[in-house]
Amino acid sequence: MGVPRNLEETAIFQVQALGYKPKDVKYIIQTHLHIDHAWGLADFPWAEVHVHATEYQAIQNPKGFMEFAYIQYHWDHQPRWVRHKESMVDWFGLEAIPILETPEYDFLFIPLHGHTRGHCGVAIGKPGSWLLHCGDAASPFYRGADLHNRDKSVQKLNILPKSLANRILGDHMPRLRKILEEHGDEVKAISAHDIFSFWEYTSL
Ligand SMILES: [Zn+2]
């Protein structure tokens, strides 16, 4: 949101900057399909696109003001959708849906519906070391926000009235905060628009 329209910031450029070929991207896992999360999909038409089944239903028939932010031409190229629904495992007290397993990392959908009907977080890691990408279900919400207060205009984003925050993000913050408090040695968290965590994890 508000990013410069600079091609070098697109996913396909950043993948190549890391030394990979675009075709190395075989799987894309979407927390949800809002405009600011899905715009690069057409650059990877060969990749499997993993979504929660309810999110897939939502883009077919958007409802309510939060679902105005789907742009139908983002999937005109007919992505190779993989839809997930079954809740099969427990992840720190939350329901989790296994998506993919690799020797290094497991990938799980953590349903955090509310921002959109099928919105999910994505847990990435192995037992003992996880990163939870909260998508748009959380604003900056832990100590890092104070430690990295470089820009007061950014921190204002934290001061959403609770009712508005619940409407925009869903009501998951207490559960997410509890996981970080109780399992902070095993779980890190970041959300899609969380510049504070980004600074912390990348040491920029
Ligand atoms: Zn969103």
Side-chain angles (χ1 to χ4, degrees):
M1 304 294 284
V3 294
R5 295 192 174 193
N6 179 350
L7 278 179
E8 290 180 5
E9 294 204 357
T10 60
I12 194 164
F13 270 73
Q14 294 196 48
V15 162
Q16 292 172 95
L18 289 168
Y20 298 99
K21 299 188 188 80
K23 287 236 168 168
D24 291 334
V25 177
K26 296 185 170 62
Y27 313 101
I28 296 172
I29 299 174
Q30 296 278 159
T31 58
H32 64 304
L33 290 161
H34 272 167
I35 178 174
D36 51 325
H37 297 254
W39 211 325
L41 276 180
D43 286 337
F44 304 94
W46 53 81
E48 288 183 358
V49 179
H50 293 254
V51 293
H52 192 278
T54 307
E55 187 68 7
Y56 182 82
Q57 288 171 1
I59 66 169
Q60 312 299 320
N61 183 20
K63 295 176 186 168
F65 90 107
M66 290 306 288
E67 293 181 3
F68 273 114
Y70 297 134
I71 306 295
Q72 298 296 329
Y73 69 72
H74 286 169
W75 31 89
D76 270 356
H77 62 290
Q78 300 187 340
R80 299 174 59 204
W81 299 110
V82 182
R83 288 166 264 176
H84 297 265
K85 186 103 188 177
E86 300 299 317
S87 297
M88 301 179 73
V89 298
D90 175 88
W91 190 84
F92 298 103
L94 302 179
E95 285 187 343
I97 305 170
I99 306 169
L100 294 168
E101 283 183 24
T102 71
E104 296 89 6
Y105 303 108
D106 294 341
F107 298 82
L108 309 167
F109 268 138
I110 311 294
L112 300 172
H113 301 337
H115 178 71
T116 62
R117 273 177 281 163
H119 180 281
C120 291
V122 180
I124 305 154
K126 287 284 185 187
S129 178
W130 294 97
L131 176 66
L132 176 62
H133 193 301
C134 301
D136 280 354
S139 57
F141 54 91
Y142 67 110
R143 290 187 297 273
D146 295 326
L147 291 173
H148 296 269
N149 178 23
R150 303 189 202 182
D151 181 342
K152 291 200 162 45
S153 68
V154 173
Q155 193 173 25
K156 282 183 189 161
L157 295 172
N158 266 331
I159 314 174
L160 286 177
K162 192 173 175 194
S163 59
L164 184 59
N166 283 353
R167 195 163 172 215
I168 294 174
L169 306 173
D171 55 358
H172 308 291
M173 292 284 276
R175 290 191 300 156
L176 297 173
R177 196 188 298 274
K178 188 162 176 276
I179 289 174
L180 291 179
E181 286 170 356
E182 294 178 356
H183 304 282
D185 53 337
E186 298 179 67
V187 181
K188 288 182 176 179
I190 192 168
S191 54
H193 302 281
D194 180 356
I195 190 68
F196 302 105
S197 300
F198 181 75
W199 282 333
E200 183 178 343
Y201 298 155
T202 59
S203 303
L204 288 178

